[in-house]
Amino acid sequence: MKSILLIGMGKFGQRLGEKLRNMGNEVMIVDKNEERINLLAQKYSDALIANCMNEDNLRALDIPSFDACVVAIGDDFQSSLEITSLLKDLGAKWVVSKATTEIQRKFLLRNGANEVVYPDRDIAEKLAVRLNSSKLFDYIELNAEYSICEVAAPKHWTGKTLVDVNPRKKYGLNLLTVKKGTAVVAELDANYVFEEGDHMMVFGRTENILSFTNK
């Protein structure tokens, strides 16, 4: 369990806060919009109406006590930039800030952000990869070269074992596990027999995965 300070409760902040809470983390939410905080306060152990561009307001929150601080402001870049810088000056252990453009990402990193999330770009890139093939269902980019993807097992693999199809040797794909609907095969060995409808979680070069799914 971690202690998270979440500043900015727009759609992105609300979704992030909900997910963090469901994972068992302690989340304190802050927004200058009184109506918004009043609507959300009952869901969180700590909620505050405050303008975080005011250094005294931030200082009162004991910033170093949080494991991470998230600046989830997307409609006011000047505020996001100043709050990011203030958090770092006040001893924040880890600052994650939201950007809407590449130039914003660069400025946020220069002004103290340890990490910058870029939801619009990330979603667009992920969707582009998925739309590139009807056999690719999920995509996690590890870097510019490697990815982890959820792909459909080819129909002609049905009834064959993992050692028979040998995806590592033939396609350059490392098979991590197999999904059957919402179930996951916990222990996968060389004698696993593929069934129709199987989805595979594979790791490898992105170009190899895309080539495989487009065959």
Side-chain angles (χ1 to χ4, degrees), residues 129-198:
V129 172
R130 286 178 50 213
L131 291 176
N132 188 64
S133 172
S134 60
K135 300 175 184 177
L136 195 153
F137 296 88
D138 204 357
Y139 163 78
I140 301 172
E141 183 183 85
L142 300 179
N143 60 24
E145 195 173 358
Y146 291 93
S147 301
I148 295 175
C149 297
E150 179 182 341
V151 300
K155 287 186 177 180
H156 65 270
W157 285 15
T158 301
K160 296 181 179 179
T161 66
L162 177 57
V163 71
D164 289 334
V165 299
N166 202 350
R168 179 182 295 177
K169 182 177 180 180
K170 294 180 180 178
Y171 307 103
L173 305 181
N174 296 283
L175 182 56
L176 303 177
T177 190
V178 171
K179 291 178 64 178
K180 295 177 178 297
T182 58
V184 174
V185 179
E187 297 183 8
L188 195 66
D189 59 35
N191 295 316
Y192 174 80
V193 178
F194 285 94
E195 299 178 351
E196 186 173 353
D198 279 358

Side-chain angles (χ1 to χ4, degrees), residues 22-33:
N22 290 341
M23 295 171 70
N25 297 288
E26 291 184 353
V27 182
M28 179 176 187
I29 61 170
V30 185
D31 198 294
K32 63 182 180 181
N33 187 307

Side-chain angles (χ1 to χ4, degrees), residues 1-4 16-28 44-45 67:
M1 182 178 69
K2 291 189 174 183
S3 175
I4 311 293
L16 177 61
E18 180 182 355
K19 187 68 175 179
L20 287 168
R21 280 193 306 107
N22 290 341
M23 295 171 70
N25 297 288
E26 291 184 353
V27 182
M28 179 176 187
Y44 294 86
S45 56
D67 293 305

Side-chain angles (χ1 to χ4, degrees), residues 69-131:
C69 300
V70 181
V71 184
I73 300 170
D75 57 354
D76 186 347
F77 178 61
Q78 184 63 35
S79 294
S80 181
L81 193 64
E82 291 189 25
I83 293 169
T84 296
S85 181
L86 284 171
L87 286 169
K88 208 63 181 176
D89 289 344
L90 292 172
K93 296 172 184 173
W94 191 263
V95 180
V96 182
S97 300
K98 179 187 175 186
T100 56
T101 66
E102 182 62 22
I103 192 66
Q104 286 184 7
R105 186 186 72 84
K106 291 179 179 179
F107 274 111
L108 287 166
L109 288 171
R110 290 174 186 172
N111 281 268
N114 298 99
E115 182 181 349
V116 175
V117 292
Y118 195 166
D120 291 342
R121 182 198 62 181
D122 294 343
I123 292 171
E125 290 183 355
K126 191 171 184 177
L127 179 60
V129 172
R130 286 178 50 213
L131 291 176

